[in-house]
Amino acid sequence: MGGEKEESRMQEDKLRTLKKALLYSYQAATAILEDGREFRCLINDNKLSGDYDNKILSIPYKDICLNSDRIGKTTTGEEEIGLKCGDVFEWKETATHWLVYLEYLEEDAYFRAQIRRCDVDTEINNHHYWLYLRGPVETTIQWNQKAQIVWNDINYSLLVYITKNDETLDFFHRFKKIKIDNQWWEIKAVNPYYGDGIIEVCLGEWYNNEMQEAQIKPDLPDTPDPNSVYIDGKYRVHPYDILNYTICNAEGGTWVLNNRKARFLETSDESCRLEVMTGKSGSFMLSYQIDDETAAQSEIIIESL
C-alpha cells in the first residue's frame, strides 16, 4: 500500500486514484511525446482567454506506453515517461501542441504542471520548434512628418515562450532576427529565467525583404563528397555569431582567416571556434592548411541584420 510511512501510503493512494482517472475521467487524454511515445494523462482547465490557453497536466512518472508492445503484466510493462518542463507534447484527441512550463513541486505522487497551448511553429538552425505566441497588443501607430514627407514607424510586438536548451540559448540574443509565419521579427529582450525550462522572448516587428530572400542560397552550396577534404559548418551566418567548424578527412593542419571580419576563439587540429566581428554584411574565407598548402577552403557569407 506504499510502505511503512504515512506519506508514502498517501502518495501511493494518489497515484492509484490518478491511474483510475486515466481510464474513466472525462478529462482523460492521450499525450504524444516528442519521441513518438503515447501515454494517458489528465488535462484539466485552468485559465482561458484570447491571449492564452492554460491547463493543468497530470501524468504518472511511470506508465504503460500505448504504442509499444505489451510486456507481461501491467506493472511489468511500465516505463519511465520522462516528461519535464520545457518539453512539448501533442494532445492526440485535439491535434494541438502544448508547452510544459511550470511544475507543481509539492506534488510528488506524479508529475503535475502548468501547460500552455502552442499555435505557431518556427525553425532554428533547421530544427523545428513549437512556441506559444501572444500577438501584438498595440492599438495605435506612430506617425512622423518632416519636410512635407509623412511616414509611420513599425511598432508591433510579440511575446514568445520557447523550449530552453543549448541551441535556443545560443540563438536568442538582442537584435537577431527570426521568421515566424512568413514575417521577420527582431529580438528585443530575452528572459531565460522565466518559468521552468523555457525562455521568454520579446520580439519587435521587422522589415520583410522578399527580393533579398529570393537570392539567399542554401546553407551548403554543394553536397560535399564524403571522401574528400572539406570544412563542415554553417556557410551563411549573421553579424556577431559565434560558430564552430570541423575539418573532415584531414588532420595535422592549421586554420586561417583571410580578413578581420572574424576572429578565432579556439582552434585545434580538427576544429575551430570563431566569432564574427562585423555588424555589416559581407564575407570571409576560412581555410585549412597543411604544410602551407590549402587542403580545404570555404567562403562564409555574412548576412545583414
Side-chain angles (χ1 to χ4, degrees):
M1 301 299 293
E4 296 182 0
K5 294 183 178 180
E6 180 63 27
E7 183 181 3
S8 298
R9 295 196 294 272
M10 287 190 293
Q11 291 170 347
E12 193 66 24
D13 285 341
K14 290 194 70 175
L15 180 57
R16 280 194 294 268
T17 302
L18 172 65
K19 289 188 174 181
K20 288 295 184 183
L22 298 182
L23 297 175
Y24 305 116
S25 173
Y26 187 73
Q27 284 77 33
T30 305
I32 305 176
L33 306 190
E34 292 177 311
D35 59 10
R37 294 181 300 153
E38 299 181 11
F39 295 94
R40 296 292 287 173
C41 64
L42 287 186
I43 297 179
N44 290 285
D45 288 336
N46 186 19
K47 295 180 180 179
L48 178 64
S49 73
D51 287 332
Y52 60 85
D53 185 358
N54 251 33
K55 299 191 185 300
I56 299 175
L57 170 75
S58 300
I59 189 169
Y61 292 117
K62 296 176 65 175
D63 204 0
I64 296 293
C65 180
L66 301 179
N67 57 343
S68 294
D69 295 333
R70 179 164 181 167
I71 304 173
K73 296 181 179 180
T74 300
T75 54
T76 306
E78 289 184 346
E79 60 183 84
E80 291 285 345
I81 295 176
L83 194 65
K84 62 185 184 301
C85 290
D87 288 351
V88 175
F89 69 91
E90 181 181 350
W91 182 353
K92 185 176 182 178
E93 288 78 10
T94 61
T96 54
H97 293 81
W98 298 80
L99 175 65
V100 184
Y101 79 105
L102 280 176
E103 181 181 1
Y104 290 89
L105 296 176
E106 73 278 5
E107 181 58 76
D108 50 10
Y110 49 84
F111 182 80
R112 186 166 181 255
Q114 297 267 352
I115 58 175
R116 184 161 290 194
R117 182 173 173 176
C118 299
D119 292 319
V120 179
D121 61 343
T122 189
E123 282 195 0
I124 298 174
N125 299 332
N126 297 320
H127 293 155
H128 180 266
Y129 287 89
W130 282 96
L131 49 87
Y132 158 73
L133 183 149
R134 187 203 67 193
V137 296
E138 289 75 19
T139 58
T140 60
I141 192 168
Q142 179 66 46
W143 287 93
N144 306 279
Q145 182 175 353
K146 186 175 182 180
Q148 297 183 343
I149 298 175
V150 178
W151 75 96
N152 62 271
D153 296 328
I154 55 176
N155 68 330
Y156 276 164
S157 63
L158 298 182
L159 180 68
V160 165
Y161 296 171
I162 191 168
T163 300
K164 178 166 69 175
N165 56 32
D166 290 341
E167 184 172 54
T168 53
L169 284 171
D170 182 63
F171 178 84
F172 284 101
H173 295 284
R174 277 185 168 182
F175 310 123
K176 263 196 169 182
K177 308 300 183 297
I178 184 172
K179 195 171 190 179
I180 300 174
D181 271 355
N182 295 317
Q183 169 66 44
W184 284 102
W185 299 86
E186 183 181 56
I187 299 170
K188 300 292 188 180
V190 180
N191 181 5
Y193 310 108
Y194 184 88
D196 300 321
I198 68 169
I199 304 174
E200 182 186 53
V201 185
C202 299
L203 304 174
E205 186 180 9
W206 195 249
Y207 305 96
N208 283 0
N209 190 332
E210 297 179 1
M211 294 182 64
Q212 183 185 46
E213 291 182 46
Q215 297 173 357
I216 292 180
K217 301 175 183 178
D219 194 41
L220 287 172
D222 297 299
T223 302
D225 182 350
N227 298 317
S228 65
V229 178
Y230 66 94
I231 297 173
D232 184 32
K234 293 183 66 175
Y235 286 76
R236 305 194 71 86
V237 301
H238 294 91
Y240 309 115
D241 276 355
I242 295 178
L243 307 153
N244 295 296
Y245 293 91
T246 304
I247 189 68
C248 298
N249 303 317
E251 59 183 10
T254 57
W255 297 91
V256 178
L257 291 168
N258 73 324
N259 60 41
R260 296 184 179 180
K261 293 182 179 179
R263 68 182 179 96
F264 290 118
L265 299 177
E266 298 176 21
T267 61
S268 67
D269 287 352
E270 298 82 18
S271 63
C272 70
R273 184 176 177 85
L274 59 83
E275 179 183 10
V276 179
M277 300 297 293
T278 178
K280 299 179 180 180
S281 60
S283 66
F284 61 90
M285 298 298 297
L286 176 64
S287 304
Y288 189 81
Q289 295 185 356
I290 301 176
D291 297 331
D292 296 328
E293 293 187 4
T294 301
Q297 181 173 272
S298 295
E299 182 182 15
I300 313 300
I301 307 297
I302 307 171
E303 298 178 342
S304 63
L305 284 171

